[in-house]
Amino acid sequence: MKQLTGRTVADEFALTETGAGGWQARVDRSWRGWTGPHGGVIAALLIEAARAAAAEPLPVRAVDLRFLGRPTDGLLTFRATEHAVGRSTVVLDVNAQQDGNPVAGASVTFGRTVASDVADHPGVPAPHVPGPESCARFVLPPEIVPASAHFTIRPAAGPLPLTGADEPMMCAWIGLVPELPADAAALAILSDALPPAVFPTLRAPVAIPTVALSMHLHNAPTGDLPVLVRTANASTGDGWSVDDTSIWDRNGRLLASARQTRRVLG
């Protein structure tokens, strides 16, 4: 597996400017998920392309992504358009293509940090679980999900995947091997690190790819990985499934929340 020490998401996937407002990056097979390139990686690269295109380096506040086709391993190209919204907010619309065909699009919202008279509310605190040092490592089969080799997953609460459990939820400490900076792009990858939340209720894997993903940033990361990731199924029916995910740092601060809409293909 390619080592990531001292590298950012942009470095790992060789995100480079191609001129005339375009960028490109390459996703190799080691980042393949259930049915194609890891969805969190696609989201992370859309974020990084938006950051590269932005006129000013503002904090990422929200990401709204839609898959428009089925991406494959290899080269992705990106184009971004910036929209200023008032004095504090900038939105970058970013499109990803392969071989001239659209595969994903996202709106990435950036927002200036400003003073406010409204009292701070840091968000829902983390659940009480053992620390990562007390949790055994769980490894998804790399022959099924090659991208699992890029994660350290230490379940902290709830059932494990494919155990026929009653509860469609998983909660685990998750890091990258080795660590990346815990920025918005890395959090997008980690928000998609666990299997679909219905997997604990199953006995055999089923393809449940992501169709849409939204992520909201709450607090700036102040510590290192791993982070605590909890994903729960909000609903499943009629061939569709919706998952909600929350991410906390080791101090219990809410860093990000995400929602995924998925197709159930089995």
Side-chain angles (χ1 to χ4, degrees):
M1 185 186 76
K2 202 180 298 182
Q3 295 297 297
L4 310 181
T5 303
R7 296 164 67 84
T8 66
V9 169
D11 294 330
E12 166 61 12
F13 298 99
L15 181 70
T16 54
E17 189 171 1
T18 60
W23 284 263
Q24 66 180 26
R26 186 173 296 277
V27 181
D28 64 40
R29 288 190 61 83
S30 76
W31 279 102
R32 188 172 179 83
W34 295 97
T35 58
H38 188 269
V41 167
I42 302 296
L45 287 171
L46 287 161
I47 292 170
E48 291 288 64
R51 290 206 298 196
E56 186 178 355
L58 299 175
V60 177
R61 303 295 181 179
V63 181
D64 188 26
L65 177 152
R66 301 291 182 270
F67 282 98
L68 306 173
R70 179 169 291 184
T72 59
D73 308 326
L75 191 69
L76 289 158
T77 59
F78 304 89
R79 297 194 70 84
T81 303
E82 182 171 316
H83 309 276
V85 185
R87 292 179 294 178
S88 300
T89 307
V90 175
V91 176
L92 271 291
D93 288 328
V94 190
N95 293 311
Q97 294 190 350
Q98 280 187 315
D99 300 322
N101 298 312
V103 294
S107 290
V108 183
T109 301
F110 297 82
R112 197 178 310 280
T113 299
V114 295
S116 171
D117 292 332
V118 177
D120 289 349
H121 172 55
V124 177
H128 294 289
V129 299
E133 300 83 2
S134 301
C135 300
R137 187 172 177 180
F138 171 79
V139 180
L140 293 166
E143 63 274 15
I144 299 177
V145 187
S148 65
H150 288 281
F151 301 108
T152 58
I153 300 176
R154 297 182 180 275
L160 295 177
L162 307 181
T163 56
D166 294 330
E167 188 176 14
M169 180 278 286
M170 290 166 285
C171 183
W173 294 100
I174 307 180
L176 292 165
V177 183
E179 295 182 6
L180 286 171
D183 58 9
L187 292 177
I189 295 175
L190 293 168
S191 73
D192 196 35
L194 290 172
V198 297
F199 262 48
T201 68
L202 306 178
R203 291 290 187 182
V206 173
I208 309 180
T210 300
V211 175
L213 181 150
S214 61
M215 184 177 75
H216 302 270
L217 286 300
H218 301 284
N219 293 287
T222 57
D224 297 326
L225 302 178
V227 291
L228 185 65
V229 181
R230 183 185 188 277
T231 186
N233 184 243
S235 67
T236 297
D238 299 324
W240 295 86
S241 189
V242 178
D243 287 346
D244 289 323
T245 299
S246 299
I247 303 176
W248 296 270
D249 68 13
R250 294 186 64 160
N251 295 319
R253 295 170 66 250
L254 182 64
L255 300 179
S257 56
R259 169 163 279 199
Q260 295 187 59
T261 297
R262 306 176 185 267
R263 279 282 289 116
V264 181
L265 300 181

